[in-house]
Amino acid sequence: MTMRFLSIRQALARAALRAFSLAAALGAGVLLAGCGGMPMTQAEATATARDVPAGAVALGPFRTVAGGFLAAPGAVFGMPTRPGSGAYVKLLAPAAVALRGNDLLVADSGSGRVWRVDIALNTFSPIAGVTATLGSAVALGPDLSAWVLDGLSRQVQRFSRDARLLQSYRTDNAATSTAAFTLADGGGTLLLADDSQRQWLELRPAGARATPVRPGGTEPLDVRGVDALASAGDSVYVLDRNAAVVHVVRRDGQVTGKLGAGELKQPVAIAADRRGRVFVVDAQDRAIKLLRPGRPAQVFDAAQLRVQMIGGIAIDEQFLVVTDRLTGQVVIHSLREGPAP
């Protein structure tokens, strides 16, 4: 019976993704934002289908999530017995966000709740036992487990897809101040940003002790802060708010480069993908800046992102996710990259 539910859900997910992607590519008619939000006009959809300039990335319309229906109790892997049959849930001030396939994880600082959203069925499932604040961080593992940095206890907890607590990660050092985290090694290693010690801690399953890694270059003060992390391949991207740069660091702590020097003003959040594209929220410019080695930053302002107050960001393959803390929406953009310059 479970396999039958999974097959139905996967078929629905594939159909939804194909429909929205095709509409975005063709620009035919009106492309609805989905899950609430304003519809995209034909002109907007057609504009995104034009050829992307060499070396640039274009944003295309995909969908907007402002709320959905509460999944019924006892649902199999988040799928209610009747999709859309539960009470309507509205996002208030979404902050941190993560996307993997059809699963969206949202830390709503307005309600203090962490939600797992099925964007194909438009259903919301709560994750109990954690409190969402502006300092929360979330991630989705390759097995779709939810990783949440609790906004109050400052510990990272991992939940199964049916919201069971699987593991809790906390450091033994009382002086450690966990600011953020990222997953590395295909989800097998947890990297905890420790802003008080200008380092990160590597934790692996099976109760292994945390291994501290302090990024450093030729000078002791090259790295002024480890405020947020993103991982891609063998590189860790360290957001340094004091220096207003992103350090490119090997896993052994050796700094190999910098991104955003002279281009970032007030960086507050970071996301990266396996292509080495690094997206940074710049609060002063109210924009997201795409950083790549040897190229000037590409800037997406709030109007292009269809938001008013940028909160959290996430990247999943060809999709960029942005939260709007003012209007209570999560906007998902498709990404199209032009040919190499």
Side-chain angles (χ1 to χ4, degrees):
M1 193 69 173
T2 300
M3 293 302 297
R4 182 183 176 188
F5 277 126
L6 283 173
S7 299
I8 295 173
R9 184 180 183 280
Q10 290 167 353
L12 287 171
R14 286 194 295 266
L17 288 172
R18 283 197 301 268
F20 278 102
S21 298
L22 180 61
L26 297 178
V30 175
L31 178 62
L32 295 180
C35 295
M38 297 298 294
M40 303 288 182
T41 65
Q42 181 174 355
E44 289 173 323
T46 302
T48 64
R50 294 172 183 163
D51 291 337
V52 182
V57 171
L59 302 179
F62 186 64
R63 68 189 311 170
T64 298
V65 179
F69 296 95
L70 194 64
V76 178
F77 293 105
M79 181 176 177
T81 52
R82 286 193 302 134
S85 61
Y88 186 78
V89 175
K90 188 180 187 304
L91 294 174
L92 301 178
V97 66
L99 176 69
R100 185 177 286 269
N102 205 48
D103 281 50
L104 180 70
L105 198 62
V106 183
D108 187 357
S109 62
S111 64
R113 305 297 297 272
V114 177
W115 299 101
R116 184 191 289 270
V117 182
D118 186 316
I119 61 175
L121 297 177
N122 196 19
T123 56
F124 278 51
S125 301
I127 296 180
V130 291
T131 302
T133 69
L134 289 177
S136 295
V138 296
L140 284 164
D143 60 350
L144 296 181
S145 58
W147 298 72
V148 183
L149 172 60
D150 189 286
L152 297 180
S153 68
R154 310 310 296 170
Q155 66 176 333
V156 176
Q157 295 177 296
R158 176 172 169 251
F159 296 87
S160 65
R161 206 170 184 288
D162 56 355
R164 290 179 294 109
L165 177 62
L166 298 177
Q167 292 165 304
S168 293
Y169 295 84
R170 66 176 71 200
T171 61
D172 298 328
N173 187 353
T176 298
S177 174
T178 304
F181 75 92
T182 190
L183 299 177
D185 301 331
T189 305
L190 174 66
L191 308 185
L192 292 175
D194 179 7
D195 55 351
S196 64
Q197 303 293 323
R198 298 206 309 266
Q199 65 182 10
W200 75 71
L201 302 174
E202 296 201 1
L203 294 93
R204 293 177 177 82
R209 293 181 61 85
T211 302
V213 178
R214 178 168 294 184
T218 57
E219 298 295 331
L221 297 180
D222 271 357
V223 179
R224 302 180 190 175
V226 178
D227 302 298
L229 301 171
S231 175
D234 296 329
S235 296
V236 178
Y237 299 98
V238 177
L239 181 65
D240 187 340
R241 292 178 182 170
N242 289 329
V245 298
V246 173
H247 303 282
V248 184
V249 188
R250 291 201 310 246
R251 291 287 291 276
D252 61 3
Q254 182 64 40
V255 176
T256 60
K258 292 182 181 179
L259 298 172
E263 297 175 307
L264 297 177
K265 298 175 182 177
Q266 190 182 355
V268 295
I270 186 172
D273 65 9
R274 60 185 179 181
R275 299 182 185 180
R277 299 183 298 189
V278 179
F279 296 83
V280 179
V281 176
D282 194 324
Q284 182 170 324
D285 285 348
R286 298 181 63 245
I288 291 177
K289 297 180 178 179
L290 170 57
L291 308 177
R292 286 173 290 187
R295 303 184 193 179
Q298 185 176 351
V299 180
F300 304 100
D301 61 26
Q304 290 174 281
L305 297 166
R306 304 180 68 87
V307 299
Q308 295 186 36
M309 181 183 292
I310 303 172
I313 58 172
I315 183 79
D316 179 49
E317 297 297 338
Q318 75 270 33
F319 295 105
L320 173 68
V321 189
V322 186
T323 67
D324 189 336
R325 298 207 314 266
L326 188 62
T327 64
Q329 297 185 106
V330 176
V331 184
I332 306 175
H333 300 275
S334 62
L335 298 175
R336 296 183 60 222
E337 187 162 4

